[in-house]
Amino acid sequence: TVTVIVTFSSTNKNYESYSEEVEITITKREVTFNNVVSVYDYDGEAHEVTYTLGNVVGNDIPTVTGNKPIVTVAQSTIVTLEVVDPNYTGSKTVELTINQGTPSTDFNKEYTVVHGTKLSDILLDTGYSWKNGNLSLTTIGNGQKFDAIYTPVDTANYKVVSGQFTVNVIKINTEVTINSNEWTGKTYNPIVEPYQVIASLTSGAVPSVTIGYNESTTAGNDDQYITV
């Protein structure tokens, strides 16, 4: 508020000059806070509330105080922005929030295992784990998708991410061991039971299997074929 003296001077000799004090009040202009951005994802960088000021004359740039940048952690804080300027006024309270960030992940890897393998037996890279590790893979086929998660080391600032890995399930490659003691060097005797070839799966068997195959009851050699 200022006081000024207003003087009226007449060029007409019939009128006297007149003066009076007048108060003139100029109020501060109320600014507006527009285009406010106050939510970010954590990226290790400092962030603060950003905005543009409205209702400002010409190229004036009013001073604003109160911004509080967050630097290191995912969190929220209340920020009160206040205009401190001889010609402008205004304030705004906002919540500055840094959300957990999304870590870099790679769910594009592909694994090949044999029938009957549990997901927990498939070793994943550090940080990755199966959602259902006890699941046994009993369906033969390629391109099967199974749920997994990635847990970052810094769980305060980064979120846990879900995804799927591709698993190819193939048939078991078996080896057969034949117990020849059960059927070689025998003497022909048609009264007894026919001799047997005893074969066992010695590798890759889930579960292990024993196979019996009857030999001919006549004297001589007889080739036997065992199919797993």
Side-chain angles (χ1 to χ4, degrees):
T1 300
V2 296
T3 301
V4 297
I5 299 176
V6 179
T7 301
F8 173 73
S9 299
S10 177
T11 57
N12 191 322
K13 62 181 180 180
N14 294 317
Y15 294 93
E16 295 180 352
S17 296
Y18 172 80
S19 298
E20 184 176 340
E21 291 185 353
V22 178
E23 288 187 350
I24 299 178
T25 301
I26 301 176
T27 60
K28 291 185 177 183
R29 181 180 289 268
E30 183 83 19
V31 302
T32 59
F33 290 85
N34 305 324
N35 305 313
V36 175
V37 177
S38 61
V39 179
Y40 302 89
D41 288 336
Y42 175 80
D43 58 5
E45 302 294 332
H47 294 283
E48 64 181 13
V49 178
T50 62
Y51 53 86
T52 58
L53 293 178
N55 198 31
V56 175
V57 176
N59 295 322
D60 287 354
I61 304 177
T63 300
V64 179
T65 63
N67 228 339
K68 299 177 182 178
I70 297 177
V71 181
T72 58
V73 294
Q75 66 178 41
S76 295
T77 188
I78 299 299
V79 173
T80 299
L81 304 172
E82 186 173 2
V83 176
V84 180
D85 190 274
N87 297 318
Y88 294 91
T89 187
S91 66
K92 186 175 184 64
T93 299
V94 297
E95 184 175 28
L96 175 59
T97 300
I98 309 298
N99 292 320
Q100 285 181 309
T102 301
S104 176
T105 58
D106 181 8
F107 287 97
N108 293 320
K109 289 191 174 181
E110 190 169 309
Y111 301 89
T112 299
V113 297
V114 296
H115 172 274
T117 301
K118 284 187 176 182
L119 282 179
S120 59
D121 293 329
I122 303 175
L123 299 181
L124 304 177
D125 291 339
T126 301
Y128 294 89
S129 61
W130 298 106
K131 282 190 175 180
N132 185 9
N134 289 326
L135 179 65
S136 294
L137 306 180
T138 57
T139 301
I140 301 298
N142 295 332
Q144 301 181 55
K145 301 288 186 179
F146 297 96
D147 293 332
I149 60 173
Y150 175 75
T151 303
V153 175
D154 183 1
T155 54
N157 292 315
Y158 290 99
K159 64 183 69 173
V160 175
V161 179
S162 297
Q164 289 186 319
F165 284 113
T166 299
V167 180
N168 304 316
V169 182
I170 62 176
K171 294 180 180 180
I172 300 171
N173 183 22
T174 59
E175 294 180 2
V176 179
T177 298
I178 297 177
N179 185 355
S180 61
N181 292 330
E182 297 293 329
W183 57 280
T184 57
K186 302 294 184 180
T187 301
Y188 170 69
N189 186 347
I191 299 176
V192 301
E193 293 293 328
Y195 305 124
Q196 288 186 321
V197 175
I198 306 299
S200 299
L201 301 182
T202 57
S203 70
V206 183
S208 59
V209 177
T210 298
I211 301 172
Y213 191 92
N214 287 338
E215 189 187 300
S216 171
T217 57
T218 59
N221 296 324
D222 190 4
D223 293 334
Q224 307 297 328
Y225 299 92
I226 298 172
T227 301
V228 179

